[in-house]
Amino acid sequence: MQTYTDYKFYTNTYKGNMPESDFNKLVIRASYEVRKNIFNRLIKGFEEEVQLATCSVADLLYKIEQLETKKQTTMSEKRLKSESVANYSRTFETTDMTDIDVQISNQRNKIIEEIRMYLLDTGLLYRGV
């Protein structure tokens, strides 16, 4: 699948700061998100807007990935809440993942908002209604 942008555009024009290895992995998914929202239309005349939208989506996907990693790390860490010595007893804290789940959900919802922000005036998002 062809991607809509490259790392040079991401760092020089968009001014992003994601590591190149992460960008190269996420730009494919970001391009897919943009492509499905513009219904696989030709982007001639709107290349820069599409590139900006793709960079923005890549940044959001990167944030989602970081939050999911944080969630997995937090879930795997068991924190000792209390401990008894006689008749040995240990209690571990339960971790509330609601906050991280809400943050992930918010980032996912931002994807369409970012695509709209960059592409609303291009006609690429027109659904024919």
Side-chain angles (χ1 to χ4, degrees), residues 1 9 14 25 37 43 57 75 85 91 94 106 111 124:
M1 179 176 119
F9 182 89
Y14 181 76
K25 180 177 70 169
N37 280 280
I43 62 169
V57 171
M75 285 175 44
V85 176
T91 307
T94 56
N106 288 343
I111 290 173
L124 293 171

Side-chain angles (χ1 to χ4, degrees), residues 27-49:
V27 71
I28 295 168
R29 289 177 38 207
S31 295
Y32 173 77
E33 286 293 331
V34 172
R35 181 173 282 116
K36 81 176 182 184
N37 280 280
I38 65 172
F39 309 103
N40 205 25
R41 291 189 174 106
L42 296 177
I43 62 169
K44 188 169 182 157
F46 303 108
E47 291 87 354
E48 187 168 329
E49 290 89 344

Side-chain angles (χ1 to χ4, degrees), residues 37-96:
N37 280 280
I38 65 172
F39 309 103
N40 205 25
R41 291 189 174 106
L42 296 177
I43 62 169
K44 188 169 182 157
F46 303 108
E47 291 87 354
E48 187 168 329
E49 290 89 344
V50 171
Q51 283 184 301
L52 290 168
T54 305
C55 290
S56 184
V57 171
D59 272 346
L60 290 170
L61 292 172
Y62 185 60
K63 288 176 188 174
I64 291 169
E65 215 173 59
Q66 289 177 321
L67 287 167
E68 287 175 345
T69 300
K70 180 180 177 183
K71 181 179 175 180
Q72 291 299 324
T73 303
T74 304
M75 285 175 44
S76 65
E77 292 176 353
K78 293 185 178 182
R79 295 184 183 141
L80 187 61
K81 185 175 181 180
S82 67
E83 183 173 32
S84 301
V85 176
N87 293 334
Y88 190 74
S89 173
R90 290 184 115 183
T91 307
F92 292 93
E93 290 181 359
T94 56
T95 308
D96 185 16

